[in-house]
Amino acid sequence: MELLKQRILQDGKCFPGGILKVDSFINHQMDPVLLYKVAEEFIRRFQDAKINKIVTIEASGIAPAIMVGYIMRLPVVFIKKKKPKTMENMLTTVVHSFTKDRDYTVCISSNFLTPDDRILFIDDFLAYGNAAMGVLDLVQQSGAKLEGMGFIIEKAFQHGRDVLTDAHVRVESLAIIDSLDDCKITIR
Ligand code: 5GP
């Protein structure tokens, strides 16, 4: 997606350890016009899929996911990173966070992820694929079907796509970063 690539080159900032900061337009301050266009592009790419629900993970996936849900008129559910005391019928899995270097338990209520659901998962980044594999585990526990996963930015050099395609997950990324070596952003 050309507009997104230009924006990453213009406003993205590189940090040691292969981290790209996009907090001036996606992750902290958000550009709703760009995120709306991002959502339209996800919908175009998954137009052949039969989706009835959008799933994301808090916090940064929520904004693009709700744009997709709004345009498609579909419900959006976000996976929580803290277990609420009041959640009914909780499904959980453990995810390793690469940016925070720790494991955490994520959860979703099986009231909102059911065997009738055909899911499109949306997130901001695909890095090593740990979060996405956790999502796949939750979807499998629930009996729902995963139609595909859409990422705004994929860091190809961390190989999350390989992990997901080995698990037969369809992956679409709108900007693919080939390298952040020497703090230079190289986009495919
Ligand atoms: P993974 O589980 O694929 O290793 O990492 C995906 C998650 O980590 C994303 O949900 C995202 O929030 C976070 N993440 C991974 N790499 C980056 C990065 O370079 N920049 C930012 N801002 N977040 C990242």
Side-chain angles (χ1 to χ4, degrees), residues 26 111 138 147 149 176:
I26 292 177
N111 295 353
L138 292 174
E147 290 289 326
M149 294 190 163
I176 299 181

Side-chain angles (χ1 to χ4, degrees), residues 101-153:
D101 192 25
R102 66 177 179 92
D103 288 346
Y104 56 99
T105 302
V106 300
C107 63
I108 188 166
S109 167
S110 61
N111 295 353
F112 306 126
L113 195 57
T114 75
D116 294 334
D117 287 330
R118 301 172 72 98
I119 300 300
L120 172 61
F121 174 73
I122 296 289
D123 204 2
D124 57 344
F125 274 93
L126 173 61
Y128 294 94
N130 295 318
M133 287 303 285
V135 172
L136 178 62
D137 182 30
L138 292 174
V139 170
Q140 286 172 341
Q141 287 182 47
S142 73
K145 182 169 186 295
L146 183 66
E147 290 289 326
M149 294 190 163
F151 301 92
I152 302 179
I153 301 169

Side-chain angles (χ1 to χ4, degrees), residues 35-49 51 54 64-74 120 122 150 170 172 174:
L35 289 176
Y36 193 88
K37 290 188 172 140
V38 157
E40 286 181 322
E41 180 62 15
F42 280 135
I43 292 164
R44 191 185 69 75
R45 294 196 188 199
F46 284 103
Q47 58 192 330
D48 58 313
I51 298 157
I54 312 301
I66 201 132
M67 293 281 186
V68 174
Y70 178 79
I71 301 170
M72 295 182 81
R73 297 293 190 258
L74 292 176
L120 172 61
I122 296 289
R170 175 176 173 192
E172 295 283 348
L174 306 192

Side-chain angles (χ1 to χ4, degrees), residues 1-187:
M1 187 182 166
E2 205 46 48
L3 187 72
L4 175 65
K5 290 187 201 173
Q6 291 309 325
R7 189 65 178 272
I8 293 168
L9 289 173
Q10 185 188 300
D11 292 334
K13 293 201 172 59
C14 210
F15 279 71
I19 294 177
L20 178 66
K21 243 184 143 175
V22 288
D23 64 350
S24 66
F25 57 108
I26 292 177
N27 262 336
H28 191 15
Q29 175 169 266
M30 293 173 281
D31 179 340
V33 176
L34 178 71
L35 289 176
Y36 193 88
K37 290 188 172 140
V38 157
E40 286 181 322
E41 180 62 15
F42 280 135
I43 292 164
R44 191 185 69 75
R45 294 196 188 199
F46 284 103
Q47 58 192 330
D48 58 313
K50 288 204 165 53
I51 298 157
N52 75 339
K53 193 171 279 185
I54 312 301
V55 171
T56 186
I57 187 160
E58 65 178 344
S60 309
I62 294 176
I66 201 132
M67 293 281 186
V68 174
Y70 178 79
I71 301 170
M72 295 182 81
R73 297 293 190 258
L74 292 176
V76 180
V77 189
F78 67 90
I79 294 165
K80 296 196 175 216
K81 288 184 172 165
K82 271 201 189 123
K83 283 198 253 176
K85 283 198 184 107
T86 52
M87 189 184 284
E88 293 169 339
N89 308 321
M90 190 160 46
L91 304 173
T92 65
T93 194
V94 176
V95 169
H96 181 75
S97 166
F98 140 81
T99 42
K100 299 196 175 90
D101 192 25
R102 66 177 179 92
D103 288 346
Y104 56 99
T105 302
V106 300
C107 63
I108 188 166
S109 167
S110 61
N111 295 353
F112 306 126
L113 195 57
T114 75
D116 294 334
D117 287 330
R118 301 172 72 98
I119 300 300
L120 172 61
F121 174 73
I122 296 289
D123 204 2
D124 57 344
F125 274 93
L126 173 61
Y128 294 94
N130 295 318
M133 287 303 285
V135 172
L136 178 62
D137 182 30
L138 292 174
V139 170
Q140 286 172 341
Q141 287 182 47
S142 73
K145 182 169 186 295
L146 183 66
E147 290 289 326
M149 294 190 163
F151 301 92
I152 302 179
I153 301 169
E154 172 182 349
K155 293 186 292 178
F157 57 92
Q158 290 167 338
H159 305 295
R161 179 184 286 266
D162 301 343
V163 178
L164 291 175
T165 45
D166 284 351
H168 308 289
V169 176
R170 175 176 173 192
V171 177
E172 295 283 348
S173 308
L174 306 192
I176 299 181
I177 312 288
D178 276 324
S179 160
L180 294 174
D181 289 351
D182 304 320
C183 275
K184 186 178 169 297
I185 303 170
T186 308
I187 304 191

